[in-house]
Amino acid sequence: MKLFRKNSRSIGGDAIAEKIAKKIIDRQRILANYLNRKTRNISGELWVAILIIFCAAFGCYCTFLLIRALG
C-alpha cells in the first residue's frame, strides 16, 4: 500500500510561475507606459530639482529620527 502517490494530472510549478510572472510583467509595462505618458513634458532640470528635494527631505527626516532615537 502506497501512502503518498504522485498526482500525474497536476500542472508543473514552472508553468504556474511563468504565467504569474508574465501577468506581473504585463502590468508593470502598462504602469510604466502610463507614467511615461504623464511625465513626458517634464524637463531634465526639473527632474534633478525634484531628486534633490526628495533626497534632502528624506535625509532630514532620517537625521531627525536618528537624533530622536539617540536623545
Side-chain angles (χ1 to χ4, degrees):
M1 180 172 124
K2 290 187 177 183
L3 293 176
F4 303 105
R5 295 183 184 174
K6 289 187 177 180
N7 187 359
S8 62
R9 292 180 282 158
S10 67
I11 298 174
D14 290 340
I16 294 171
E18 188 175 326
K19 287 181 182 180
I20 292 171
K22 185 179 181 321
K23 286 186 179 190
I24 291 172
I25 290 172
D26 288 343
R27 291 187 188 244
Q28 284 178 340
R29 185 171 294 120
I30 290 169
L31 180 61
N33 289 338
Y34 171 76
L35 292 174
N36 281 332
R37 280 193 313 271
K38 290 294 184 179
T39 61
R40 184 179 303 152
N41 296 327
I42 297 178
S43 68
E45 293 174 352
L46 183 57
W47 276 119
V48 171
I50 292 170
L51 178 64
I52 290 171
I53 292 169
F54 179 81
C55 290
F58 280 97
C60 290
Y61 182 65
C62 288
T63 304
F64 166 74
L65 289 177
L66 183 63
I67 292 170
R68 189 171 171 202
L70 294 176

